[in-house]
Amino acid sequence: DVYVALAEYRLQLLNEASFQGYPVVRHPVLHFPNEERFNCCSISVGSKKQKKKSKDGYGNVSYGDDVPSFMLGDLIYVVPVVKSGVVKTKVYLPSGGWIHLWTEDQVAGPHNIGKTIEVMAPVGEPPVFVRDCDMMHRFMEELRQGGIIGTGSRVKAKSSSLFSSFRRK
């Protein structure tokens, strides 16, 4: 399962937390401080900055540039979908190269300076992106071997493992 496949990375993150003080789950601004999209704490002198509520065309509501996303360490970027019934959404990808976890498609190359893409986001497959590096390749290989990604039956296998703890006995 995903938790087991992340064992090596989780250990690295816990070491960073213990010895360097970095949180395991992080706001993207920690790794992308120059990207306005994540800079929710900017101060305007002389005028009040107001955030407008808007819909993105897929039913997701955003308030200005607020992005409900987080990083797991510096290698995994997650954009939760919190509205019921959403199966496709627009996602802002910060600078650098990103691989979509569920499809294994490289959705942004190393020269990406930040862009918005559209991805499928059915229940059980939230938008999750990983960096193109050895540790994440090992992580994805473990998921592949476990039938979580890269197989035609992945949705069935994944949904049965995700929801097995919620079934009535």
Side-chain angles (χ1 to χ4, degrees):
D1 82 343
V2 176
Y3 183 79
V4 172
L6 280 171
E8 178 186 0
Y9 187 51
R10 278 195 334 271
L11 183 59
Q12 175 186 318
L13 294 178
L14 291 172
N15 281 329
E16 285 180 8
S18 295
F19 297 108
Q20 298 171 352
Y22 295 135
V24 173
V25 176
R26 308 166 185 176
H27 191 282
V29 76
L30 184 63
H31 297 290
F32 308 100
N34 297 324
E35 296 205 30
E36 275 189 44
R37 185 65 152 231
F38 300 124
N39 191 352
C40 62
C41 302
S42 60
I43 299 171
S44 298
V45 178
S47 68
K48 255 189 177 175
K49 195 174 185 181
Q50 291 188 349
K51 302 210 179 241
K52 278 176 55 180
K53 181 177 176 180
S54 65
K55 286 195 175 188
D56 66 1
Y58 296 97
N60 295 320
V61 177
S62 66
Y63 292 86
D65 287 339
D66 291 342
V67 178
S69 60
F70 64 89
M71 304 284 299
L72 183 60
D74 62 341
L75 301 179
I76 300 177
Y77 178 63
V78 181
V79 184
V81 175
V82 295
K83 184 169 168 111
S84 177
V86 173
V87 294
K88 184 189 267 189
T89 191
K90 289 183 180 178
V91 171
Y92 176 78
L93 290 175
S95 56
W98 295 100
I99 298 171
H100 185 252
L101 178 66
W102 308 115
T103 63
E104 301 181 71
D105 293 336
Q106 178 136 14
V107 292
H111 302 294
N112 166 42
I113 56 170
K115 70 178 186 176
T116 300
I117 64 166
E118 186 175 87
V119 295
M120 297 302 293
V123 172
E125 291 186 17
V128 177
F129 304 90
V130 298
R131 289 289 193 184
D132 190 0
C133 67
D134 288 340
M135 182 174 285
M136 290 296 103
H137 286 284
R138 288 192 301 273
F139 165 60
M140 292 176 71
E141 181 58 32
E142 285 191 45
L143 294 180
R144 219 175 286 114
Q145 288 175 0
I148 304 295
I149 63 173
T151 65
S153 62
R154 105 176 170 260
V155 174
K156 183 178 178 187
K158 185 160 30 85
S159 65
S160 67
S161 69
L162 282 173
F163 299 110
S164 61
S165 61
F166 296 106
R167 289 196 186 113
R168 291 182 184 243
K169 306 269 182 200

